[in-house]
Amino acid sequence: YSKLPETGVSPHIGTGGGELMLKCPTMSREFSTGIYVDEAGFKRLPNTVTRAVCPHCRQLHSWWTKEARLSVAGEQRLLAG
């Protein structure tokens, strides 16, 4: 579960963008928030606290937008494999 404030960012796959990635503070492993955004949208995101369930430790993590990074195309397949 991951949700950003109303910013026009879609939680679904878009074109020319990537996924917001976070690092689990417990396991020190990256995971996808499931939120897809292009680079322009990423730069417009407000720096607010958001929550996401981590697939590694199964905990609900709170994170600031500035703590996320934008993945590059195809990166999720590499991380998952």
Side-chain angles (χ1 to χ4, degrees), residues 56-69:
H56 303 300
C57 71
R58 308 276 188 233
Q59 293 181 24
L60 182 64
H61 296 308
S62 295
W63 50 278
W64 289 93
T65 307
K66 66 182 179 184
E67 295 175 314
R69 72 172 186 85

Side-chain angles (χ1 to χ4, degrees), residues 4-53:
L4 285 174
E6 295 300 318
T7 60
V9 175
S10 173
H12 305 289
I13 296 176
T15 57
E19 296 176 77
L20 292 182
M21 303 293 293
L22 299 174
K23 190 170 193 174
C24 171
T26 305
M27 306 293 284
S28 295
R29 294 178 61 189
E30 278 198 320
F31 67 95
S32 168
T33 62
I35 298 170
Y36 293 80
V37 63
D38 63 18
E39 192 170 342
F42 180 66
K43 290 178 181 178
R44 288 192 313 266
L45 291 174
N47 192 31
T48 59
V49 175
T50 307
R51 292 171 206 50
V53 174

